[in-house]
Amino acid sequence: AQARGYRVLTTVFEGGHPLEHYDWTIPTAVVLGNEREGVSEEAKALCDGGVYISMNGFTESLNVSVASALVMHHAVQDRIRRRGFHGDLTPREQATLRAVFLARLVP
């Protein structure tokens, strides 16, 4: 991903920065680890930085599906706030993608 121009972040328990620290208009790939062990040290070493989801109370980690949903939701909201829209497809590309999706719904 880095060779293709993506910033690569990994979720971390300690260190790193909160979601709000990053500009999500920059193309970014996020490596998420499991709830118990997180991301391997090897993967962390290959990434550009660490990101964590701020939490209050006694919760120390989230299920990976919940964490990924929160990261994606924040990234979309950040892109909308900074750019006024989310996504990079032209209206024509959006229409084509929608048509392909709808065509696949028909048996």
Side-chain angles (χ1 to χ4, degrees):
Q2 289 165 320
R4 296 180 67 194
Y6 284 82
R7 168 181 60 193
V8 180
L9 301 176
T10 180
T11 54
V12 294
F13 295 118
E14 296 177 355
H17 299 283
L19 286 171
E20 299 79 16
H21 172 81
Y22 292 101
D23 175 353
W24 294 91
T25 63
I26 297 169
T28 303
V30 180
V31 178
L32 294 111
N34 67 36
E35 184 178 356
R36 179 175 294 186
E37 298 173 21
V39 177
S40 71
E41 292 302 318
E42 181 181 20
K44 288 178 188 176
L46 295 172
C47 291
D48 299 311
V51 61
Y52 63 86
I53 299 167
S54 300
M55 293 182 279
N56 296 317
F58 297 106
T59 303
E60 294 181 1
S61 65
L62 298 168
N63 174 289
V64 69
S65 64
V66 172
S68 62
L70 289 171
V71 170
M72 295 306 299
H73 176 76
H74 178 81
V76 168
Q77 294 306 308
D78 184 72
R79 289 171 63 95
I80 291 170
R81 183 175 53 79
R82 292 175 189 266
R83 297 173 60 192
F85 64 94
H86 171 66
D88 300 324
L89 298 178
T90 66
R92 183 177 180 161
E93 290 169 328
Q94 290 175 19
T96 301
L97 187 60
R98 181 170 173 74
V100 168
F101 172 77
L102 294 173
R104 289 181 179 171
L105 293 176
V106 179

